Amino acid sequence: MSRERLNTGHVLTLLSLLVVVVYGHTIQAQFVWDDVFLIERNQRLGEFRSAWSLAWGDFFGQAHTTQSGYLRPVPTLLNYLTVKIFGYSPVAFHAIQLMLHLLVLGIAVRVLRNWGLTNLSILVGLAFYTVHPMQAEALSFVSCRPELLAAIFVLLTCLCVQNSRDGGSFWWCIFACLSLTLGFLSKETAVVIVPFIWFLGVDYSKKVTWVLTGFALALVALRFSWMPAN
């Protein structure tokens, strides 16, 4: 396939095939390590009221004595929805992990295209990203769901900021702040996307970027003033 004939559809198809070939076998895996107490032995995930309470508590304090100080309600609520729909099925949880990774790749393709990269360079870069050993843990352990969710919302934040150049900056600003919030509530390190956007120095809407910066600082301040309850 020549470089000229490589379109976005080809890139997404090839990346999807790569994910299936490299990580498809993880669907047959059981719960391991932190998955055991976060999901398999965590019967409180079965009811919304108790799951909501868990979501705003210590992430690793669920059915375990470890106190991490991590506030990650989005992954916990996604675990609740998975249990509610599929039960405590390792197959369902691992299949969703794969779908989350595919969603990361799909959004990343759009973001990188907006930055002017060619489809060939995007394919090569995201293929290396997919087969990198660091992905093995994220796609094998359900407890690494925060990383995948944070990646999704970080990329969506980038996409919103990029789209703010084309008008309608007020709504893209709202969407960017919402996406950043969900990313922050998936894993706190999601806020690093804000200084990264400033570092790029491209012609994004400065108004959106400033609002997003202030919103990120407010999230960080809120997080340090609100320690999750046990």
Side-chain angles (χ1 to χ4, degrees):
M1 186 179 298
S2 66
R3 175 177 176 176
E4 291 74 17
R5 296 180 58 187
L6 189 70
N7 59 38
T8 302
H10 295 143
V11 173
L12 293 173
T13 300
L14 291 172
L15 289 173
S16 299
L17 289 173
L18 182 61
V19 170
V20 171
V21 170
V22 177
Y23 300 107
H25 67 282
T26 60
I27 292 182
Q28 302 175 354
Q30 298 300 309
F31 292 125
V32 295
W33 299 105
D34 294 337
D35 303 348
V36 175
F37 64 83
L38 284 176
I39 301 168
E40 187 175 33
R41 299 179 184 173
N42 192 0
Q43 296 304 310
R44 295 177 65 190
L45 279 176
E47 296 296 331
F48 177 75
R49 182 174 297 180
S50 57
W52 181 262
S53 177
L54 289 174
W56 296 100
D58 190 290
F59 182 67
F60 284 105
Q62 304 175 43
H64 197 274
T65 58
T66 300
Q67 298 300 312
S68 62
Y70 295 147
L71 180 64
R72 296 174 180 175
V74 175
T76 302
L77 292 175
L78 180 56
N79 289 342
Y80 158 76
L81 289 175
T82 307
V83 169
K84 203 65 179 176
I85 298 172
F86 302 104
Y88 290 86
S89 167
V91 173
F93 275 91
H94 286 295
I96 291 173
Q97 289 296 97
L98 290 178
M99 288 188 287
L100 290 175
H101 185 71
L102 288 172
L103 185 56
V104 169
L105 295 177
I107 303 173
V109 169
R110 179 66 181 274
V111 170
L112 294 174
R113 281 296 298 164
N114 288 348
W115 277 336
L117 275 70
T118 65
N119 285 320
L120 180 60
S121 61
I122 292 173
L123 176 61
V124 173
L126 292 181
F128 275 110
Y129 170 81
T130 295
V131 300
H132 193 281
M134 71 178 182
Q135 301 302 332
E137 184 175 351
L139 291 173
S140 300
F141 300 171
V142 181
S143 53
C144 289
R145 186 165 282 186
E147 283 76 5
L148 292 173
L149 289 169
I152 289 171
F153 292 119
V154 161
L155 289 169
L156 284 176
T157 302
C158 270
L159 196 57
C160 290
V161 174
Q162 288 177 335
N163 289 339
S164 70
R165 293 176 299 182
D166 304 322
S169 59
F170 172 79
W171 287 108
W172 287 120
C173 182
I174 297 296
F175 294 147
C177 290
L178 176 60
S179 182
L180 180 65
T181 301
L182 292 173
F184 185 80
L185 294 178
S186 297
K187 190 169 185 178
E188 297 87 340
T189 52
V191 293
V192 300
I193 189 58
V194 176
F196 179 73
I197 290 172
W198 279 107
F199 177 76
L200 289 177
V202 293
D203 59 338
Y204 298 146
S205 169
K206 295 302 182 184
K207 179 181 178 181
V208 172
T209 310
W210 275 112
V211 171
L212 194 64
T213 301
F215 200 80
L217 292 174
L219 285 173
V220 172
L222 177 64
R223 175 62 188 85
F224 279 105
S225 64
W226 179 26
M227 292 300 294
N230 297 332

